[in-house]
Amino acid sequence: MAYTTALTTLLIVDDDRALSALLSELVAVEGYEVDAAHDAKQ
């Protein structure tokens, strides 16, 4: 049985929610854990 772990955590900050969702999905399939923020307050 194989276990996978995240390579590292990336923070994606962009006010365009659609773009940040797309970027999050693209890097998540490569094994990265993703946190997203849509403004500086998050």
Side-chain angles (χ1 to χ4, degrees), residues 10-28:
L10 297 176
L11 174 62
I12 296 175
V13 181
D14 197 306
D15 62 346
D16 183 332
R17 291 178 185 265
L19 181 58
S20 64
L22 175 63
L23 291 172
S24 294
E25 288 182 36
L26 289 173
V27 297

